[in-house]
Amino acid sequence: MEVCADCGAIYDIPGDSCATRFDILLALDHSRRQPWGSHHGLAFAVYSLQHPSLSTPETLDRAWRILHRVYIDGDEPAAVLHALSGRGSSASASWDVPARPPAPSGWPAITIADLGEFEAEEYSRLLDAWCRAAVAWWSGIPL
C-alpha cells in the first residue's frame, strides 16, 4: 500500500500514484476531447494545490486564485481561466482574492484517487467535488 505524502491518497496497486493518475488525466486533457479538455485549468489547479511539494509558490498562488474565484466567488471557470491566460480584458492581479493560506495540515476529503478512471459521464461532477475539497482543505471553509 502506498500513501501520497502530499494529499494522503491511498493506492493498493503497485505503481499507482497521484503522479501516474495525473499523467493519464493530462493525456485526456490534451486530447481536447470533452469533457476533459475544457476542464484542464481546473484540474491543473486542484492537482497543484493538493501536491504543494511539486509546485512553485507562484504556481500555488495562481491555482489558489483560480479555485477561489470559481468556488468561493462564484465566477465562471472559463472566464477566470481566460482572464488569467492574459488574453482576457480583466487584470487578474487586481482581483480581490485573499492571499493563499499557509499549507493545510491533514488530508483533503477527496483526492485524484477518488476520481477513478476519469469516465466521461462522471468526470465533470467528480472534478467539481475534487476542486471543492481542495478549496475547503486550504481555506477551512466547508463547500
Side-chain angles (χ1 to χ4, degrees):
M1 181 169 71
E2 294 289 322
V3 177
C4 176
D6 276 325
C7 74
I10 299 171
Y11 296 98
D12 294 329
I13 301 170
D16 201 2
S17 68
C18 293
T20 301
R21 288 182 183 237
F22 192 58
D23 285 345
I24 293 167
L25 181 55
L26 284 179
L28 290 167
D29 286 355
H30 291 294
S31 74
R32 300 187 187 266
R33 294 182 326 182
Q34 296 307 326
W36 308 280
S38 62
H39 291 85
H40 173 72
L42 293 176
F44 187 85
V46 66
Y47 185 81
S48 296
L49 282 179
Q50 285 197 351
H51 298 87
S53 72
L54 304 176
S55 299
T56 65
E58 294 80 17
T59 298
L60 293 172
D61 289 342
R62 183 180 178 89
W64 172 250
R65 187 175 296 127
I66 290 168
L67 295 184
H68 190 284
R69 291 295 300 207
V70 172
Y71 289 96
I72 294 177
D73 296 339
D75 293 339
E76 285 295 319
V80 170
L81 295 166
H82 183 71
L84 284 174
S85 72
R87 296 183 303 262
S89 60
S90 171
S92 65
S94 66
W95 286 352
D96 187 24
V97 173
R100 176 176 45 89
S105 60
W107 308 120
I110 298 171
T111 69
I112 193 169
D114 297 310
L115 274 67
E117 300 298 319
F118 312 114
E119 298 295 333
E121 298 79 24
E122 294 293 319
Y123 180 67
S124 295
R125 181 185 64 76
L126 292 172
L127 175 65
D128 184 65
W130 184 28
C131 289
R132 288 178 185 282
V135 172
W137 185 47
W138 275 83
S139 69
I141 299 170
L143 298 177

